[in-house]
Amino acid sequence: MSIVRISGLMHLDLSNNQIIGELPFDFGKLRRLSRALLSRNQLVGSIPNSVLKMNRLADLDLSMNRITGSIPDRLGKMRVLSTLKLDGNSMTGQIPSTLLSNTGMGILNLSRNGFEGTIPDVFGSKSYFMVLDLSFNKLTGRVPDSLSKAKFMGHLDISNNHLCGNIPIGSPFDHLDAASFSNNDCLCGNPLKTC
């Protein structure tokens, strides 16, 4: 029996198993699902577009799998999605600006993938990230100045990329240590060496 037939399912935790294969293309039929915890399996393929129809999904954890493809742009427009963990996969493409400008997003971990391009400069006074981890990717360009406008930034990690230029000054940068910025091409400024 396919899991998508359990239409009343509200919480799904299948993490730390040996599940092999792709997420069902019609995974989005689980319209009542608020948490989908599928980390540490052997899932392959891309994130199915049907996920974008899951209006109650608040927590999506696909970390430590073998997911490929890019992040659907509309994932950042999901109204209640507040935790997204895609770390430890083989995803590529650019980080959608909608993910970083979504004021409801509180935990976003995209580390240890193959994301490229710049970090979208779309943060604002309502941005509230308890965790923002973009480390171990192929990101280029500068650290966005708009990050200093964020209402709250608890844990930020943009280390192990190809970023360059000055680290902006002010909050949240004044409470972050060098490990948050280490192993980039040519970042400088506090807490790293002066420019």
Side-chain angles (χ1 to χ4, degrees), residues 27-81:
F27 190 72
K29 284 185 176 178
L30 297 172
R31 294 290 178 88
R32 295 188 179 186
L33 201 63
S34 63
R35 302 187 78 196
L37 310 179
L38 299 161
S39 66
R40 297 180 186 276
N41 284 293
Q42 296 179 41
L43 296 172
V44 297
S46 57
I47 299 173
N49 282 327
S50 63
V51 168
L52 305 170
K53 299 175 181 175
M54 301 172 76
N55 296 328
R56 298 185 184 185
L57 189 62
D59 187 347
L60 178 59
D61 187 352
L62 293 171
S63 60
M64 307 295 178
N65 279 288
R66 299 173 186 172
I67 304 291
T68 54
S70 58
I71 300 174
D73 185 57
R74 285 171 44 216
L75 203 61
K77 297 179 181 177
M78 293 178 70
R79 286 200 308 269
V80 299
L81 187 64

Coordinates of all heavy atoms in Angstrom, one line a residue, residues 27-81:
F27 N 3.3 12.6 -3.3 CA 3.5 12.8 -1.9 C 2.6 13.9 -1.3 O 2.2 13.9 -0.2 CB 5.0 13.1 -1.6 CG 5.3 13.0 -0.1 CD1 5.4 11.8 0.6 CD2 5.6 14.2 0.6 CE1 5.7 11.8 1.9 CE2 6.0 14.1 1.9 CZ 6.0 12.9 2.6
G28 N 2.4 14.9 -2.2 CA 1.6 16.1 -1.8 C 0.1 15.7 -1.5 O -0.6 16.6 -1.0
K29 N -0.3 14.5 -1.8 CA -1.7 14.1 -1.4 C -1.9 14.1 0.1 O -3.0 14.0 0.5 CB -2.0 12.8 -2.0 CG -2.3 12.8 -3.5 CD -2.7 11.4 -4.0 CE -3.1 11.5 -5.5 NZ -3.5 10.1 -6.0
L30 N -0.8 14.0 0.8 CA -0.9 14.0 2.3 C -1.1 15.5 2.8 O -0.3 16.1 3.4 CB 0.4 13.4 2.9 CG 0.7 12.0 2.5 CD1 2.0 11.6 3.0 CD2 -0.4 11.0 3.2
R31 N -2.3 16.0 2.5 CA -2.6 17.4 2.7 C -2.7 17.8 4.1 O -2.5 19.0 4.5 CB -4.0 17.7 2.0 CG -4.0 17.6 0.5 CD -3.2 18.7 -0.1 NE -3.1 18.7 -1.5 CZ -4.0 19.2 -2.4 NH1 -5.0 19.9 -1.9 NH2 -3.8 19.1 -3.7
R32 N -2.9 16.8 5.0 CA -2.9 17.2 6.5 C -1.6 17.1 7.2 O -1.5 17.4 8.3 CB -3.9 16.3 7.2 CG -5.4 16.5 6.7 CD -6.3 15.7 7.5 NE -7.7 15.9 7.1 CZ -8.8 15.5 7.7 NH1 -8.6 14.8 8.8 NH2 -10.0 15.7 7.3
L33 N -0.6 16.7 6.5 CA 0.7 16.4 7.1 C 1.4 17.7 7.5 O 1.5 18.7 6.7 CB 1.6 15.7 6.1 CG 2.8 14.9 6.6 CD1 2.4 13.8 7.5 CD2 3.7 14.4 5.5
S34 N 1.8 17.8 8.8 CA 2.5 19.0 9.2 C 4.0 18.8 9.4 O 4.8 19.7 9.3 CB 1.9 19.5 10.6 OG 2.1 18.5 11.6
R35 N 4.4 17.5 9.7 CA 5.8 17.2 9.8 C 6.1 16.0 9.0 O 5.5 14.9 9.1 CB 6.1 16.9 11.3 CG 5.8 18.0 12.2 CD 6.3 17.8 13.6 NE 7.8 18.0 13.7 CZ 8.6 17.5 14.7 NH1 8.0 16.8 15.6 NH2 9.8 17.8 14.7
A36 N 7.2 16.1 8.1 CA 7.7 15.0 7.3 C 9.1 14.8 7.7 O 10.0 15.6 7.2 CB 7.4 15.2 5.9
L37 N 9.5 13.9 8.5 CA 10.8 13.7 9.0 C 11.4 12.4 8.3 O 11.0 11.3 8.7 CB 10.9 13.5 10.5 CG 10.1 14.7 11.3 CD1 10.2 14.4 12.8 CD2 10.7 16.0 10.9
L38 N 12.2 12.6 7.3 CA 12.7 11.5 6.5 C 14.2 11.4 6.4 O 14.8 10.9 5.5 CB 12.1 11.6 5.1 CG 10.6 11.5 5.0 CD1 10.1 12.1 3.7 CD2 10.1 10.1 5.2
S39 N 14.9 12.0 7.4 CA 16.4 12.1 7.3 C 17.0 10.7 7.5 O 16.5 9.8 8.0 CB 16.9 13.0 8.4 OG 16.6 12.5 9.7
R40 N 18.3 10.7 7.1 CA 19.2 9.5 7.3 C 18.6 8.2 6.7 O 18.4 7.2 7.3 CB 19.5 9.3 8.7 CG 20.3 10.5 9.3 CD 20.7 10.3 10.8 NE 21.3 11.5 11.3 CZ 22.6 11.8 11.2 NH1 23.4 11.0 10.5 NH2 23.1 13.0 11.7
N41 N 18.2 8.3 5.4 CA 17.8 7.2 4.7 C 18.6 7.1 3.4 O 19.7 7.7 3.3 CB 16.3 7.3 4.3 CG 15.4 6.9 5.6 OD1 15.4 5.8 6.0 ND2 14.7 7.9 6.1
Q42 N 18.1 6.5 2.4 CA 18.8 6.4 1.1 C 17.8 6.8 0.0 O 17.8 6.2 -1.1 CB 19.3 5.0 0.9 CG 20.3 4.6 1.9 CD 20.8 3.1 1.7 OE1 21.1 2.7 0.5 NE2 21.0 2.4 2.8
L43 N 17.1 7.9 0.2 CA 16.2 8.5 -0.7 C 17.0 9.1 -1.9 O 18.0 9.8 -1.7 CB 15.3 9.5 -0.1 CG 14.3 8.9 1.0 CD1 13.6 10.0 1.7 CD2 13.3 7.9 0.4
V44 N 16.5 8.9 -3.1 CA 17.1 9.5 -4.3 C 16.0 10.3 -5.1 O 14.9 10.4 -4.6 CB 17.7 8.4 -5.2 CG1 18.8 7.6 -4.5 CG2 16.6 7.4 -5.7
G45 N 16.5 10.9 -6.2 CA 15.6 11.7 -7.0 C 15.4 13.1 -6.4 O 16.2 13.5 -5.5
S46 N 14.5 13.8 -7.0 CA 14.3 15.2 -6.6 C 13.1 15.4 -5.7 O 12.3 14.5 -5.5 CB 14.2 16.1 -7.8 OG 13.1 15.6 -8.7
I47 N 12.9 16.6 -5.2 CA 11.7 16.9 -4.4 C 10.5 17.0 -5.3 O 10.5 17.8 -6.2 CB 11.9 18.3 -3.6 CG1 13.1 18.2 -2.7 CG2 10.7 18.6 -2.9 CD1 13.5 19.5 -2.0
P48 N 9.5 16.2 -5.1 CA 8.4 16.2 -6.0 C 7.6 17.5 -5.9 O 7.4 18.1 -4.8 CB 7.5 15.0 -5.5 CG 8.0 14.6 -4.2 CD 9.4 15.2 -4.1
N49 N 7.1 18.0 -7.1 CA 6.4 19.3 -7.1 C 5.1 19.2 -6.3 O 4.6 20.2 -5.8 CB 6.1 19.6 -8.6 CG 7.3 20.2 -9.3 OD1 8.1 20.9 -8.7 ND2 7.4 20.0 -10.6
S50 N 4.6 18.0 -6.1 CA 3.3 17.9 -5.3 C 3.5 18.4 -3.9 O 2.5 18.7 -3.2 CB 2.8 16.4 -5.4 OG 3.7 15.6 -4.7
V51 N 4.7 18.4 -3.4 CA 5.0 18.9 -2.0 C 4.5 20.3 -1.9 O 4.0 20.7 -0.8 CB 6.5 18.8 -1.7 CG1 6.8 19.5 -0.4 CG2 6.9 17.3 -1.5
L52 N 4.5 21.1 -2.9 CA 4.2 22.5 -2.9 C 2.7 22.7 -2.6 O 2.3 23.8 -2.3 CB 4.5 23.1 -4.2 CG 6.0 23.0 -4.6 CD1 6.2 23.5 -6.1 CD2 6.9 23.7 -3.7
K53 N 1.9 21.6 -2.7 CA 0.4 21.7 -2.4 C 0.1 21.4 -1.0 O -1.1 21.4 -0.6 CB -0.3 20.8 -3.3 CG -0.1 21.1 -4.8 CD -0.8 20.1 -5.7 CE -0.6 20.4 -7.2 NZ -1.2 19.4 -8.0
M54 N 1.1 21.1 -0.2 CA 0.9 20.7 1.2 C 0.8 21.9 2.1 O 1.8 22.4 2.7 CB 2.0 19.7 1.7 CG 2.1 18.5 0.8 SD 3.6 17.5 1.1 CE 3.1 16.6 2.6
N55 N -0.4 22.5 2.3 CA -0.6 23.8 2.9 C -0.4 23.7 4.4 O -0.2 24.8 5.0 CB -2.0 24.2 2.7 CG -2.3 24.5 1.2 OD1 -1.4 24.9 0.5 ND2 -3.5 24.3 0.7
R56 N -0.3 22.6 5.0 CA -0.1 22.5 6.5 C 1.3 22.1 6.9 O 1.7 22.0 8.0 CB -1.1 21.5 7.1 CG -2.5 21.9 6.9 CD -3.4 21.0 7.7 NE -4.8 21.3 7.4 CZ -5.9 20.7 8.0 NH1 -5.7 19.8 8.9 NH2 -7.1 21.1 7.8
L57 N 2.2 21.8 5.9 CA 3.5 21.3 6.1 C 4.4 22.4 6.8 O 4.7 23.5 6.2 CB 4.2 20.9 4.8 CG 5.5 20.1 5.0 CD1 5.3 18.8 5.8 CD2 6.1 19.8 3.6
A58 N 4.8 22.2 8.0 CA 5.6 23.1 8.8 C 7.1 22.7 8.9 O 8.0 23.5 9.0 CB 5.0 23.3 10.2
D59 N 7.3 21.4 8.8 CA 8.6 20.8 9.1 C 8.9 19.8 8.0 O 8.3 18.7 8.0 CB 8.7 20.2 10.5 CG 10.0 19.8 10.9 OD1 11.0 19.7 10.1 OD2 10.2 19.5 12.1
L60 N 9.9 20.0 7.2 CA 10.4 19.1 6.2 C 11.8 18.8 6.3 O 12.7 19.7 6.2 CB 10.1 19.6 4.8 CG 10.5 18.7 3.6 CD1 9.9 17.4 3.6 CD2 10.3 19.4 2.2
D61 N 12.2 17.5 6.7 CA 13.5 17.1 6.9 C 13.9 16.0 6.0 O 13.5 14.8 6.2 CB 13.7 16.7 8.4 CG 15.2 16.4 8.7 OD1 16.0 16.4 7.8 OD2 15.5 16.2 9.9
L62 N 14.7 16.3 5.0 CA 15.2 15.3 4.0 C 16.7 15.2 4.1 O 17.3 14.7 3.2 CB 14.8 15.7 2.6 CG 13.3 15.7 2.3 CD1 13.0 16.3 0.9 CD2 12.8 14.2 2.3
S63 N 17.3 15.6 5.2 CA 18.7 15.6 5.4 C 19.3 14.2 5.3 O 18.7 13.2 5.6 CB 19.1 16.3 6.7 OG 18.6 15.7 7.8
M64 N 20.6 14.1 5.0 CA 21.4 12.9 4.9 C 20.7 11.8 4.1 O 20.5 10.7 4.5 CB 21.6 12.3 6.4 CG 22.2 13.4 7.3 SD 23.9 13.8 6.8 CE 24.2 15.0 8.1
N65 N 20.4 12.2 2.9 CA 19.9 11.2 1.9 C 20.7 11.4 0.6 O 21.9 11.9 0.7 CB 18.4 11.5 1.6 CG 17.5 10.9 2.6 OD1 17.3 9.7 2.7 ND2 16.9 11.7 3.5
R66 N 20.2 11.1 -0.5 CA 20.9 11.2 -1.8 C 20.0 12.0 -2.8 O 20.0 11.7 -4.0 CB 21.2 9.8 -2.4 CG 22.1 9.0 -1.5 CD 22.3 7.6 -2.0 NE 23.1 6.8 -1.0 CZ 23.3 5.5 -1.1 NH1 22.8 4.8 -2.1 NH2 24.0 4.9 -0.2
I67 N 19.3 13.0 -2.2 CA 18.4 13.8 -3.0 C 19.2 14.6 -4.0 O 20.3 15.2 -3.7 CB 17.6 14.7 -2.1 CG1 16.8 13.9 -1.1 CG2 16.6 15.6 -3.0 CD1 15.7 13.1 -1.6
T68 N 18.7 14.7 -5.3 CA 19.4 15.5 -6.3 C 18.4 16.6 -6.8 O 17.3 16.7 -6.3 CB 19.9 14.6 -7.5 OG1 18.7 13.9 -7.9 CG2 20.9 13.6 -7.0
G69 N 18.9 17.3 -7.8 CA 18.0 18.3 -8.4 C 18.2 19.6 -7.6 O 19.0 19.8 -6.7
S70 N 17.3 20.6 -8.0 CA 17.4 21.9 -7.4 C 16.2 22.1 -6.4 O 15.3 21.3 -6.4 CB 17.3 23.0 -8.5 OG 16.2 22.9 -9.3
I71 N 16.2 23.2 -5.7 CA 15.1 23.5 -4.8 C 14.0 24.2 -5.6 O 14.3 25.2 -6.2 CB 15.6 24.4 -3.6 CG1 16.7 23.8 -2.8 CG2 14.4 24.8 -2.7 CD1 17.3 24.7 -1.8
P72 N 12.8 23.7 -5.6 CA 11.7 24.4 -6.3 C 11.5 25.8 -5.7 O 11.5 26.0 -4.5 CB 10.5 23.5 -6.0 CG 11.0 22.2 -5.6 CD 12.3 22.4 -4.9
D73 N 11.5 26.8 -6.6 CA 11.3 28.2 -6.1 C 10.1 28.4 -5.2 O 10.2 29.1 -4.3 CB 11.2 29.1 -7.4 CG 11.3 30.5 -7.0 OD1 12.2 31.0 -6.4 OD2 10.3 31.2 -7.4
R74 N 9.1 27.7 -5.5 CA 7.8 27.9 -4.8 C 7.9 27.3 -3.4 O 7.0 27.6 -2.5 CB 6.6 27.4 -5.5 CG 6.2 28.2 -6.7 CD 5.2 27.6 -7.6 NE 4.1 27.0 -6.9 CZ 3.5 25.9 -7.3 NH1 3.9 25.3 -8.4 NH2 2.5 25.3 -6.6
L75 N 8.9 26.5 -3.1 CA 9.1 26.0 -1.7 C 9.2 27.1 -0.7 O 8.7 27.0 0.4 CB 10.3 25.1 -1.6 CG 10.3 24.0 -0.5 CD1 9.2 23.0 -0.7 CD2 11.6 23.3 -0.6
G76 N 9.8 28.2 -1.1 CA 9.9 29.4 -0.2 C 8.7 30.2 0.0 O 8.6 31.1 0.8
K77 N 7.6 29.8 -0.8 CA 6.4 30.6 -0.7 C 5.3 29.8 0.1 O 4.2 30.2 0.2 CB 5.8 30.9 -2.1 CG 6.8 31.8 -2.9 CD 6.2 32.1 -4.3 CE 7.2 33.0 -5.0 NZ 6.8 33.2 -6.4
M78 N 5.7 28.6 0.6 CA 4.8 27.8 1.4 C 4.5 28.6 2.7 O 5.4 29.0 3.4 CB 5.3 26.4 1.6 CG 5.4 25.6 0.3 SD 6.1 24.0 0.5 CE 4.8 23.2 1.4
R79 N 3.2 28.7 3.1 CA 2.9 29.7 4.1 C 3.3 29.2 5.5 O 3.7 30.1 6.3 CB 1.3 29.9 4.1 CG 0.8 30.7 3.0 CD -0.5 31.3 3.3 NE -1.5 30.3 3.7 CZ -2.3 29.6 2.9 NH1 -2.2 29.9 1.6 NH2 -3.1 28.7 3.3
V80 N 3.3 28.0 5.8 CA 3.6 27.6 7.2 C 4.9 26.8 7.3 O 5.3 26.5 8.5 CB 2.4 26.7 7.8 CG1 1.1 27.5 7.8 CG2 2.3 25.4 7.0
L81 N 5.6 26.6 6.2 CA 6.9 25.9 6.3 C 7.9 26.8 7.1 O 8.3 27.9 6.7 CB 7.4 25.6 4.9 CG 8.7 24.8 4.8 CD1 8.4 23.3 5.4 CD2 9.2 24.7 3.4

